[in-house]
Amino acid sequence: MADEERIVPMRLQKFLARAGAASRRGSENLMTAGRVTVNGKVVTELGSKVDPLVDEVAVDGVVVSLADGAVTLMLHKPAGLLTTMSDPFGRSTVAELVPTDRYPGLFPIGRLDQDTTGLLLFSTDGNLGNRLLHPRHHVLKRYVALVESMPTGEQLERLRAGIELDDGPTQPAEARLLSGEEARAARAVLQEPDPPEGSRQYRAAYQRKAARRHVVEIGLREGRKHQVKRMLEAIGHPVAALHRTAFGPLELGCLPRGAWRLLSAEEVATLHRVAGSE
Ligand code: URA
C-alpha cells in the first residue's frame, strides 16, 4: 500500500493555483497564452507536471513559488467527510469546511479516513506539505482509538516493537492504554458510530460489547493507509472510532468539531523546523 499521498510532481495549472497566481481556470489560460515558463521554457501543454522542490516556474517572467503568502491552518475534521478537495461522485469533503474562497490553493496535508476525526492540517504551501509527509522527516502523528475490549500489556508491546502488516513491518510506535481522566477526555472527542438497527436482543448484545471498549493512544512516525486501524486489528482489537490529537508539535486542543483556525507564525515556523525546511 502507498504512503500517504505526496503532492509532487503536480500539474502545472494546479501549482499556479496553489501559488496564488490565478484560479485553476485562470492558470490554464495563462499557460495557453504562453505566459508561463518552467525552467526558462514556455509551457503551454495543460497536462504538464512540475516538481515544486526542483522546478522554477514563472509567469510573465516573475518567479512564483508555493510559499509566497502561504496560509496554513488546522481543521477539526468531523466523521463522514472525505479528505479531498473535490469528489467526482459529489460526496461531502473537507473542502466544505475550510475557507477556499479566501485562500485559494488550500490543500490537506496528508489524509484522514472518512470516519476518522481530529487534526487535519491544510496549507497553500506545497513545499511544507511535502516535507511534513516525507518519511525522512519522521513527523509524529498521535491518535486516540476506541478499541474492542482491553488490550494486554504484551499486545501493546508488540505495537511498540513494530508489527508485521501485509505491506511490511511497521516502525516502532508509541502505544499505551488510557485510563481515568485521560480516557474520559478521549471518549468525549471520539465519534462512536451509531448502534446498528436490529432486534432488542441484538441491540442489547451490541451495547454490552460497546461497554467493553477501551481507549488506546498511538503515536506513529509513518503514514501508511489505514495504518492505525490495521495495527490494532493485527493485535486483535478492531477500532470502533479513531481521532487524531496531534500532528508533529501541534495539538488540536479544544478546537470545536468542524471548526478551523489559522496557525500562528510561530506555529508555522515550528512546522518548518520539524519538516527540515531551511
Ligand atoms: N490511521 C488510520 O487507520 N486511519 C486514519 O485515518 C489515520 C491513521
Side-chain angles (χ1 to χ4, degrees):
M1 242 173 254
D3 278 349
E4 267 183 291
E5 187 190 25
R6 299 194 61 228
I7 58 164
V8 290
M10 67 167 80
R11 290 161 85 86
L12 182 51
Q13 57 265 46
K14 190 170 181 178
F15 173 95
L16 290 165
R18 284 190 183 171
S23 65
R24 189 74 72 87
R25 178 57 60 80
S27 299
E28 290 177 359
N29 293 340
L30 289 175
M31 288 172 66
T32 50
R35 294 169 59 187
V36 180
T37 55
V38 177
N39 303 323
K41 289 210 183 81
V42 174
V43 176
T44 53
E45 176 96 26
L46 292 179
S48 308
K49 295 203 165 170
V50 285
D51 183 338
L53 295 180
V54 174
D55 295 317
E56 186 181 90
V57 178
V59 178
D60 297 333
V62 178
V63 174
V64 291
S65 116
L66 292 181
D68 283 348
V71 165
T72 304
L73 59 84
M74 69 164 73
L75 169 74
H76 182 160
K77 178 192 175 295
L81 301 179
L82 296 174
T83 304
T84 175
M85 295 310 276
S86 65
D87 180 62
F89 303 106
R91 291 170 294 182
S92 293
T93 77
V94 291
E96 293 165 21
L97 297 179
V98 291
T100 46
D101 292 351
R102 216 175 315 163
Y103 308 116
L106 272 180
F107 65 95
I109 299 179
R111 211 182 264 164
L112 291 177
D113 295 336
Q114 188 171 9
D115 57 354
T116 301
T117 59
L119 199 171
L120 184 60
L121 288 178
F122 286 76
S123 188
T124 55
D125 182 347
N127 241 321
L128 177 65
N130 282 329
R131 287 172 179 278
L132 284 169
L133 295 181
H134 197 289
R136 179 175 66 231
H137 297 303
H138 306 291
V139 176
L140 180 74
K141 273 93 65 177
R142 194 167 277 132
Y143 301 84
V144 285
L146 190 65
V147 294
E148 305 296 352
S149 71
M150 187 166 87
T152 63
E154 187 262 333
Q155 286 170 327
L156 294 176
E157 190 48 46
R158 285 175 61 204
L159 298 181
R160 289 187 205 111
I163 192 164
E164 193 63 40
L165 297 180
D166 53 10
D167 55 351
T170 63
Q171 289 168 16
E174 295 175 7
R176 69 188 182 101
L177 187 66
L178 299 190
S179 61
E181 191 39 49
E182 281 190 310
R184 262 192 299 282
R187 288 189 94 124
V189 288
L190 279 158
Q191 257 184 290
E192 283 191 60
D194 292 332
E197 300 287 318
S199 67
R200 216 153 62 94
Q201 287 96 322
Y202 177 73
R203 279 182 285 125
Y206 178 86
Q207 295 298 4
R208 278 197 298 281
K209 188 170 158 220
R212 290 196 297 272
R213 289 175 177 160
H214 282 73
V215 184
V216 174
E217 185 181 67
I218 301 275
L220 296 183
R221 293 186 184 276
E222 50 187 343
R224 294 193 236 161
K225 214 168 177 188
H226 309 314
Q227 185 166 350
V228 174
K229 292 177 186 164
R230 290 191 294 135
M231 287 170 69
L232 286 161
E233 175 92 46
I235 60 160
H237 295 276
V239 169
L242 183 62
H243 175 87
R244 182 152 70 191
T245 56
F247 189 112
L250 300 181
E251 295 197 357
L252 186 61
C254 51
L255 190 65
R257 188 180 288 162
W260 60 270
R261 72 165 177 86
L262 289 178
L263 299 193
S264 67
E266 199 179 348
E267 287 173 319
V268 174
T270 319
L271 275 185
H272 276 286
R273 258 199 310 281
V274 296
S277 319
E278 323 62 58

